[in-house]
Amino acid sequence: MAAAAVAFAASRRSWRRLFRWRAPGSRAPCGLICPTRGLSGGNEYDLLVIGGGSGGLACAKEAAEFGKKVAIMDFVVPSPRGTSWGLGGTCVNVGCIPKKLMHHAALLGGALMDAHHYGWDVAPSAPHNWNQMAKAIQNHIKSLNWGYRVQLQERNVKYFNIQGSFVNDHTVRGFTKAGKETLVTADHIVLATGGRPRYPDDVVGAMEYGITSDDLFWLKASPGKTLVVGASYVSLECAGFLTGLGLSTTVMMRSIPLRGFDQQMALLVADYMESHGTKFLKHCTMKKLEKLENNRLRVTWNNHEAGTEESSVFDTVLWAIGRVPETRRLNLDKVGVKLHPNSQKVLVNASEATSVAHIYAIGDVAEGRLELTPTAIMAGKLLARRLFGQSTELMDYDNVATTVFTPLEYGCVGLSEEEAERRYGKDDIEVYHAYYKPLEFTVAERDSTQCYIKMVCLRERDQRILGLHFIGPHAGEVIQGFALGIKCGATYPQMKKTVGIHPTSAEEVTKLWITKRSALPATVTGC
Ligand code: FAD
Ligand code: NA7
């Protein structure tokens, strides 16, 4: 420990010697950019954000609005397959945006099937061109990458396309792609480095032959017959749109679908997928992944239910088994930023502060936070306002609405039925529910077996709504508005007084009257 302290002090002295007598921002003979100091003799920047994704960009831009001197570092380490992308982070490049657009592409295929029922003379099974779709989506993403650079420039936020790691608690060192070293000093530092997809470490050939969501959206050619491993929302969403685009798609699931979500809803989502073409290998775990001479992949797995070893051949194996936080390359132990021992995410308090006073963490890299773009953005903005705008407002992570963009979408806000039971007890909650048929499904003769709504309320007093769950078309659009009501403490009687918009699926929420407790059939019909 003492030796480390001496070495650290010596390295600080040698850094100082290295930069003595040089103008701020000038280059030392060694090629390093000299760390520049503010007029006060302090650090060059008021704020340095490491990570130019949803949270980092929002925080940096907001801080700049207060006239602060702000820098942001963003660097994308290529995936093991070599896929890389521009400024904007996961959501824009390899997450929400391409995912939603591919989901939409798949829904259009479904609309083609409906169209002839409505009199359109179109072939219901028109072929899909992956390359054309991917190119259009990728071009859109590139325009967003460019837009972020312009926004940073407009706000005088200095952008460094370098991978940051700590030298000391106010100094971050980065290397450009060409290996050039740069030092940046700042009073406050925000970690917003997100995460990357996980590969299993116990499957032979997993990283060599498998891909992840980091690669899928940038493929130039169709992935073909695909095995998607994992059963959370990234997995089911990808499997859903691949099926919808006409590809043979299989989900390998070791336990339950959509862990963490309301399980009744999760099973309905998976049931719909299964009855609309996605194959499921349940209670299975992969053992081996091999490349065949014809470039296809032989997958061997254990079927734990049947007690057998099975195998099949696929064109693509997509790992969607969770994400690893980007904390490994930051040198955080050097500055004393504490991580959660299991998740390796940064430990933060309610004001996003880490164990080091002036270092903060937001978004996916922070322990216990929802891994969602809007929460990262809002947390980043609020943090900047607290740091520089005299605000005291904390991020409220309760009642955040979200949607799983599976073929039949699932939107929710608030507590699952299981969580409500755990917190309040089964006897103290009332669950209103209904199976319904979206009007547009009728003429198209679509199956609506899994279109279902559930509202979880407190049973006594004002019957406050604890959670709302909706499966059906445009679930995200439906849930967003109700989320405001629930955030404001809406009650079941208030919902009953809300006049619906007819004819919509959302109006079914306002009409819910059958309780689970009553055991009455929950299917609603007609107007
Ligand atoms: P990120 O957006 O991941 O940004 C972190 C950035 O930091 C990256 O650019 C990274 O390269 C960079 N970086 C890392 N380390 C360093 C370093 N040392 N130096 C410099 N730069 C570094 N959320 C939703 O709300 N809705 C959705 O529909 C949705 N769909 C998703 C679909 C998929 C397939 C995935 C994977 C995620 C999805 N998400 C969705 C989640 C959402 O993308 C993330 O929650 C969000 O991007 C997190 O933002 P962030 O700022 O924490 O990190
Ligand atoms: P999640 O939410 O961490 O879920 C991981 C899924 O992968 C889950 O179904 C796991 O099953 C499964 N899993 C995990 N490890 C394995 C192995 N080794 N083999 C098979 N299956 C496995 O990950 P996502 O990628 O869907 O989402 C992560 C976040 O990214 C999400 O919150 C978004 O905001 C963006 P389990 O339930 O543990 O049995």
Side-chain angles (χ1 to χ4, degrees), residues 47 57-71 151-152 154-158 384 388:
L47 174 69
L57 285 169
C59 185
K61 289 190 286 183
E62 189 73 9
E65 294 289 318
F66 292 101
K68 296 295 163 186
K69 202 168 174 204
V70 183
Q151 287 170 13
L152 291 179
E154 282 171 353
R155 290 168 175 81
N156 288 321
V157 175
K158 175 73 182 160
F388 305 117

Side-chain angles (χ1 to χ4, degrees), residues 49-58 72-77 85-100 160-165 172-174 191-197 213-214 217 233-235 237-238 241 323 326-327 329-330 362-366 370-377 401-405:
V49 178
I50 311 178
S54 310
L57 285 169
I72 189 164
M73 289 182 176
D74 189 63
F75 188 83
V76 179
V77 177
W85 49 88
L87 180 63
T90 303
C91 175
V92 171
N93 295 285
V94 285
C96 337
I97 300 298
K99 179 276 301 286
K100 180 82 187 288
F160 294 98
N161 182 208
I162 56 182
Q163 189 180 5
S165 79
V172 176
R173 178 185 7 220
L191 309 174
T193 48
R196 296 295 289 267
S213 52
D214 278 1
F217 303 115
Y233 85 74
V234 170
S235 161
E237 288 179 339
C238 292
F241 70 69
R323 296 175 65 80
E326 267 299 322
T327 46
R329 298 178 244 238
L330 288 166
I362 53 169
D364 286 9
V365 80
L370 295 159
E371 293 186 10
L372 292 172
T373 277
T375 51
I377 291 175
T402 188
T403 289
V404 182
F405 292 98

Side-chain angles (χ1 to χ4, degrees), residues 8 30 51 64 216 221 257 280 282 335 424 454 507:
F8 181 55
C30 59
L216 180 68
F280 281 79
K282 295 175 186 164
V335 289
Y424 299 97
K454 172 158 90 173
E507 74 173 315

